[in-house]
């Protein structure tokens, strides 16, 4: 879990979460060992009946609010992989790729927290999957780190500005949906509201990263124009009953 890494790092160093030190000073993600077992998930078929298990082993229908939130955060994490691959292909975006990978790791912890409803989970499992506020502190620092290098916004910005920028803005929209999917859990399951705050701030960061990609790749930033600025909005109308001449 990310919080365990943060605490371990804090005990070894005086490094704090600042704008110049995004999250922690070194990478905390790694590839899974190739000799750790079979290359597919164990226990296949347990969800064939339309139900699945949460981390506390509670069985629920797959259209339950919790699985809806888990599925949307998983979709978001998956699409961040698309964004990261696109940024990597651009070149000169290693820091953005790093940030996106760390966001994926954070989403794993968010998912673990959502999958452990406080009302039906043991204290031990709740403690193991409690949300770490350090992730919110880190994401705020990242917003400032990238945002300070961007020009001020004077008009509404449209998705576009290159493939990577457009992908990041699409990820932002998915993040907004993930945020909405968590709201029922905060009301009914008593999950940590900081998890919702993290997703809200994450959408801000993805917006900033989208602008960063547009700027670094030297694309024009697309901005909103009133429809009447490019069309007079007048249409020729003809009755469908008019006979062709």
């Amino acid at each position: 879990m990310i919080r365990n890494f943060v605490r371990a790092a804090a005990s070894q160093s005086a490094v704090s979460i600042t704008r110049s030190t995004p999250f922690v000073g070194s990478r905390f993600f790694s590839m899974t060992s190739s000799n750790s077992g079979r290359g597919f998930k164990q226990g296949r078929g347990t969800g064939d009946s339309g139900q699945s298990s949460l981390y506390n082993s509670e069985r629920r229908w797959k259209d339950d609010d919790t699985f809806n939130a888990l599925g949307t955060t998983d979709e978001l994490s998956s699409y961040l992989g698309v964004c990261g691959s696109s940024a990597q292909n651009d070149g000169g975006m290693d820091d953005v790729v790093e940030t996106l990978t760390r966001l994926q790791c954070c989403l794993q912890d968010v998912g673990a927290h959502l999958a452990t409803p406080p009302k039906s989970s043991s204290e031990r499992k709740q403690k193991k999957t409690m949300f770490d506020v350090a992730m919110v502190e880190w994401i705020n620092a990242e917003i400032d780190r990238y945002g300070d290098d961007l020009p001020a916004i004077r008009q509404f910005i449209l998705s576009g500005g290159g493939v990577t920028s457009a992908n990041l803005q699409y990820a932002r929209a998915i993040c907004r949906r993930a945020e909405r999917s968590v709201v029922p859990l905060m009301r009914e399951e008593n999950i940590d509201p900081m998890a919702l705050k993290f997703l809200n701030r994450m959408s801000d960061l993805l917006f900033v990263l989208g602008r960063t990609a547009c700027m670094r790749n030297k694309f024009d930033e697309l901005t909103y124009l009133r429809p009447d600025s490019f069309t007079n909005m007048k249409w020729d109308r003809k009755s469908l009953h008019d006979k062709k001449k």
Side-chain angles (χ1 to χ4, degrees):
M1 293 294 176
I2 288 178
R3 68 175 164 277
N4 295 330
F5 179 88
V6 173
R7 290 167 182 165
S11 65
Q12 298 171 4
S13 169
V15 174
S16 60
I17 300 175
T18 64
R19 292 182 2 174
S20 60
T21 308
F23 207 25
V24 289
S26 61
R27 298 174 71 94
F28 60 82
F29 42 85
S30 62
M31 296 297 292
T32 303
S33 173
S34 60
N35 61 357
S36 60
R38 291 184 175 180
F40 57 84
K41 185 178 179 181
Q42 300 297 316
R44 54 181 161 173
T46 57
D48 288 351
S49 62
Q51 291 188 332
S52 191
S53 297
L54 299 176
Y55 178 60
N56 62 3
S57 300
E58 178 185 354
R59 300 284 293 180
R60 292 192 184 185
W61 292 104
K62 291 185 178 182
D63 62 355
D64 183 83
D65 285 341
T66 298
F67 282 117
N68 181 43
L70 288 170
T72 310
T73 53
D74 180 41
E75 179 185 354
L76 174 58
S77 179
S78 298
Y79 204 76
L80 291 184
V82 174
C83 295
S85 295
S86 180
Q88 195 167 37
N89 289 336
D90 291 338
M93 300 271 282
D94 287 350
D95 58 324
V96 172
V97 175
E98 177 94 0
T99 296
L100 292 173
T101 308
R102 294 184 181 206
L103 285 173
Q104 287 181 293
C105 291
C106 289
L107 287 173
Q108 289 292 111
D109 265 23
V110 171
H113 178 66
L114 299 180
T116 316
K119 294 179 180 179
S120 56
S121 301
S122 67
E123 186 176 340
R124 180 184 67 83
K125 288 195 172 182
Q126 288 185 62
K127 185 176 181 180
K128 190 174 182 180
T129 60
M130 64 186 296
F131 185 82
D132 189 355
V133 296
M135 295 196 296
V136 176
E137 296 170 4
W138 168 73
I139 207 167
N140 279 329
E142 290 291 86
I143 293 170
D144 291 340
R145 182 164 76 106
Y146 287 101
D148 285 352
D149 291 334
L150 296 172
I153 299 176
R154 304 188 185 282
Q155 291 176 277
F156 185 83
I157 295 171
L158 304 178
S159 177
V163 173
T164 300
S165 177
N167 277 327
L168 285 164
Q169 295 299 350
Y170 186 27
R172 173 191 56 79
I174 297 175
C175 187
R176 286 296 190 191
R177 178 154 50 87
E179 179 188 359
R180 293 193 298 273
S181 74
V182 170
V183 171
L185 302 185
M186 187 178 68
R187 288 199 302 249
E188 300 168 13
E189 303 278 9
N190 294 326
I191 64 166
D192 193 331
M194 293 298 284
L196 184 70
K197 183 176 182 178
F198 174 81
L199 290 171
N200 183 47
R201 299 297 168 82
M202 183 174 171
S203 63
D204 293 336
L205 176 57
L206 291 172
F207 175 77
V208 170
L209 290 176
R211 296 193 70 205
T212 297
C214 179
M215 180 182 69
R216 291 192 188 178
N217 291 323
K218 296 181 171 54
F219 283 99
D220 292 332
E221 192 165 64
L222 305 179
T223 55
Y224 164 79
L225 296 174
R226 288 184 58 86
D228 58 13
S229 68
F230 55 83
T231 176
N232 60 16
M233 302 297 286
K234 293 180 180 179
W235 313 101
D236 290 329
R237 299 182 181 182
K238 185 176 181 180
S239 172
L240 293 176
H241 299 288
D242 289 349
K243 295 181 179 179
K244 293 182 179 180
K245 295 181 180 180

